[in-house]
Amino acid sequence: MKKLKHIGIWGGIFLYLAITLSFVGEKRGNTICSQINVHIVDSTVDEILTREEVNDYIHDLDMKVLGHPVKNINIQYLEKTLTENPVVKNTEVYFTSDGDLNIKINQRNPIIRIANRKGQNYFIDKEGAIVPSKGRYTSHVLIANGNIKESFEPAKTNRINCSQNKNENNNSGILCNLLEMAKFINKDPFWMSQIEQIYVNEKDEYEIIPRVGAHVIKFGPFENYREKFRNLKAFYRKGLNNVGWNQYLYINLKYDNQIICTKR
């Protein structure tokens, strides 16, 4: 009898909770959505996507949101479609207890801008995702141009694949090399402030245009790029600081453990 009594008590509790939760859920489901709050992470650093664009996108989906019960709004679908935007990394969509629709978006942050041989422009983030170039968005990132040829159409590709043959100087191999160099440069405050552009010449070798100094750095092939940057930094600090940053026309790093300078 005692055992049956305990079972009856717990059964009553569970039934009460089920009815209460059902009532709360129904009441919440009937709550009217009165506001959309959009938060874009890191938008103060690089504004690739704006709140206005997100609101316009929701409107274009023809989703009935404002003024409608939250139970009729498919937030999973909204989250999925927002994340399909190539400038979006991930999205979180949820309702508050008051019925506000909160949208949190992590946008992609490009680290290099590509201007290929066809005259097309686009960005790449550190994960290799391709971010379309928009007229309004002009992020101050490293620029790479020249003899850049892809084996794909940038406007129809989500990301570059650097898992294989990333050191081959053709097609996506060059893009992977440029991306790896961009990652390296972005991790170093000195190079971030010093390097403005990487140019790929007709021999598929790399030339670097600095922000400071009236010279061109003939970087050569991609191989041993870290060592080349290390040698160049030592030369900047011990050499150019003494003789002046505008003394040379070219600084050549193509040869192992050598820096050959051509005076103006």
Side-chain angles (χ1 to χ4, degrees):
M1 289 293 294
K2 193 172 183 181
K3 185 175 181 182
L4 290 174
K5 184 178 180 180
H6 284 160
I7 293 174
I9 291 172
W10 282 109
I13 292 173
F14 286 133
L15 180 61
Y16 170 78
L17 289 174
I19 294 172
T20 302
L21 290 174
S22 174
F23 174 76
V24 171
E26 183 179 355
K27 182 179 179 181
R28 184 175 181 274
N30 289 323
T31 301
I32 301 300
C33 177
S34 58
Q35 186 168 308
I36 300 175
N37 302 315
V38 179
H39 174 58
I40 302 174
V41 179
D42 292 336
S43 61
T44 56
V45 179
D46 273 322
E47 191 180 56
I48 305 176
L49 189 67
T50 67
R51 295 184 185 90
E52 291 75 17
E53 287 173 325
V54 175
N55 287 322
D56 289 343
Y57 184 71
I58 295 172
H59 181 268
D60 291 341
L61 288 174
D62 199 26
M63 291 187 67
K64 295 176 173 59
V65 179
L66 288 176
H68 293 269
V70 299
K71 66 180 180 182
N72 296 336
I73 301 169
N74 190 339
I75 60 174
Q76 288 79 19
Y77 172 73
L78 181 57
E79 190 172 274
K80 177 178 178 294
T81 52
L82 283 172
T83 306
E84 288 173 352
N85 189 316
V87 305
V88 174
K89 186 174 181 179
N90 54 61
T91 310
E92 182 182 1
V93 181
Y94 60 95
F95 282 108
T96 67
S97 58
D98 296 328
D100 289 354
L101 178 65
N102 283 358
I103 300 174
K104 180 182 177 183
I105 292 176
N106 283 284
Q107 64 178 11
R108 294 196 176 277
N109 294 307
I111 61 172
I112 188 168
R113 181 171 188 163
I114 303 295
N116 66 18
R117 63 189 298 177
K118 298 178 183 178
Q120 297 169 311
N121 279 262
Y122 56 93
F123 296 91
I124 304 177
D125 76 352
K126 65 180 180 180
E127 296 175 350
I130 293 178
V131 180
S133 175
K134 300 194 297 183
R136 178 185 57 77
Y137 175 60
T138 55
S139 180
H140 299 292
V141 298
L142 181 68
I143 299 172
N145 64 344
N147 189 37
I148 300 174
K149 48 190 182 294
E150 304 94 338
S151 57
F152 56 83
E153 182 57 41
K156 300 178 181 178
T157 305
N158 294 325
R159 65 176 60 241
I160 60 173
N161 182 10
C162 297
S163 60
Q164 295 180 342
N165 302 324
K166 67 178 181 179
N167 289 331
E168 291 183 6
N169 280 337
N170 54 50
N171 298 330
S172 61
I174 287 180
L175 288 180
C176 293
N177 293 344
L178 289 169
L179 177 58
E180 190 164 332
M181 290 173 70
K183 290 179 184 178
F184 177 86
I185 290 168
N186 272 262
K187 288 180 181 178
D188 190 316
F190 177 81
W191 293 125
M192 274 283 290
S193 61
Q194 175 60 8
I195 297 178
E196 181 175 32
Q197 177 184 345
I198 300 176
Y199 177 77
V200 183
N201 64 26
E202 292 301 320
K203 295 180 180 180
D204 288 338
E205 295 181 343
Y206 303 88
E207 299 175 4
I208 293 176
I209 312 299
R211 296 183 189 276
V212 180
H215 55 265
V216 175
I217 301 161
K218 291 186 174 294
F219 202 79
F222 176 75
E223 287 76 20
N224 303 319
Y225 77 95
R226 291 176 180 271
E227 183 179 349
K228 291 177 182 179
F229 275 118
R230 185 167 55 248
N231 292 340
L232 180 60
K233 183 182 285 189
F235 176 72
Y236 272 158
R237 289 176 172 172
K238 297 177 182 178
L240 290 190
N241 280 341
N242 295 325
V243 303
W245 286 64
N246 297 318
Q247 293 295 313
Y248 300 109
L249 186 62
Y250 297 109
I251 297 175
N252 194 330
L253 306 174
K254 290 174 61 173
Y255 308 103
D256 291 342
N257 297 315
Q258 293 185 59
I259 297 179
I260 301 173
C261 299
T262 303
K263 282 191 174 183
R264 321 196 133 266

